[in-house]
Amino acid sequence: MLRTIDIIIADDHPIFRKGLRQLIESSVNSYAVKEAEDGKSALQFVEELKPDVTILDVDMPEMNGLEVAKEIEKRRLKTKVIFLTMYKEEELFNEALDHGVLGYILKDNAAKEILNALNAVMKNEYYICPTISNFLVNRNLKEKKLAKSQPGLDDLTHSEKNILRLIAESKTSKEIADELHISYRTVENHRTNICAKLNIHGSHALLKFAFDNKHLL
């Protein structure tokens, strides 16, 4: 027997929200859906209920979808995020994926694509609305170009990349040491080695590099 997949739908338009819920619950899979009318409620439900999937409208009162996605990532809440939006904005698309969003659907196509998106993200796969698939192509091309322009990035060890990823989360050396259960001095040595390999000078420059390249780590 298949287990029930728990879902939260966050959208401030009740008719759209309920319509999407009915569509999901009428599918052959076993879904249990809870509704949230704003971003703040959605985040609270994610913390309390720990859903498998959270579907977020980008434009919501209290907190918008991107703010909620950032908090989900920051708090390391284990839910797979699907974005709903009316807008074909490449910058928003890239920022969403940078913060762990797996599904990205235009609201006009939501009824046709939401079940496919749910199936994909539950397998830890991306689902991107076909009408904006060029955004994903552009993103991949930029990542390849950036990787080539930063050859030192490939020379980092697994531990150094892990340190750099945590630096991108604005964590201090002490916080990194505590999280990885290593000494403060070891973290500082890693930082020194990373700077040397990437030809970076200064902690501010290292933080900026880490943040700009977070999606590559």
Side-chain angles (χ1 to χ4, degrees), residues 71-119:
E71 280 299 310
I72 287 173
E73 181 187 42
K74 180 181 178 181
R75 302 182 193 186
R76 301 187 179 183
L77 302 176
K78 302 299 183 182
T79 187
K80 304 175 194 305
V81 178
I82 296 174
F83 256 26
L84 296 169
T85 180
M86 293 289 295
Y87 309 109
K88 299 179 181 179
E89 296 181 0
E90 191 164 1
E91 184 177 349
L92 175 62
F93 171 83
N94 284 319
E95 192 168 5
L97 266 61
D98 285 345
H99 291 285
V101 174
L102 286 178
Y104 202 95
I105 301 175
L106 295 180
K107 294 185 78 170
D108 289 344
N109 302 327
K112 296 179 181 178
E113 298 181 15
I114 190 61
L115 295 180
N116 289 334
L118 286 169
N119 288 333

Side-chain angles (χ1 to χ4, degrees), residues 16 20 54 59 61 83 106 112 120 155 166 185-187 191:
F16 177 86
L20 200 60
T54 302
D59 291 321
F83 256 26
L106 295 180
K112 296 179 181 178
D155 295 331
L166 294 173
R185 183 179 295 275
T186 298
V187 176
R191 292 175 70 110

Side-chain angles (χ1 to χ4, degrees), residues 91-158:
E91 184 177 349
L92 175 62
F93 171 83
N94 284 319
E95 192 168 5
L97 266 61
D98 285 345
H99 291 285
V101 174
L102 286 178
Y104 202 95
I105 301 175
L106 295 180
K107 294 185 78 170
D108 289 344
N109 302 327
K112 296 179 181 178
E113 298 181 15
I114 190 61
L115 295 180
N116 289 334
L118 286 169
N119 288 333
V121 301
M122 283 303 298
K123 294 185 286 188
N124 287 318
E125 297 174 355
Y126 286 100
Y127 184 89
I128 309 302
C129 179
T131 56
I132 56 170
S133 59
N134 61 302
F135 288 177
L136 187 60
V137 174
N138 292 342
R139 179 181 176 87
N140 290 337
L141 290 174
K142 288 177 181 178
E143 288 180 353
K144 289 179 180 179
K145 183 178 179 181
L146 181 59
K148 289 181 179 178
S149 67
Q150 300 287 350
L153 202 59
D154 293 332
D155 295 331
L156 297 183
T157 66
H158 175 75

Side-chain angles (χ1 to χ4, degrees), residues 156-173 176-177 180 182-184 186-192 194 206 210 217:
L156 297 183
T157 66
H158 175 75
S159 295
E160 289 167 347
K161 286 182 179 179
N162 201 24
I163 296 289
L164 196 58
R165 177 181 60 79
L166 294 173
I167 291 173
E169 296 176 7
S170 299
K171 294 184 183 293
T172 65
S173 291
I176 294 171
L180 298 180
I182 58 179
S183 70
Y184 173 87
T186 298
V187 176
E188 287 294 290
N189 288 338
H190 278 310
R191 292 175 70 110
T192 299
I194 292 169
L206 178 60
L217 299 172

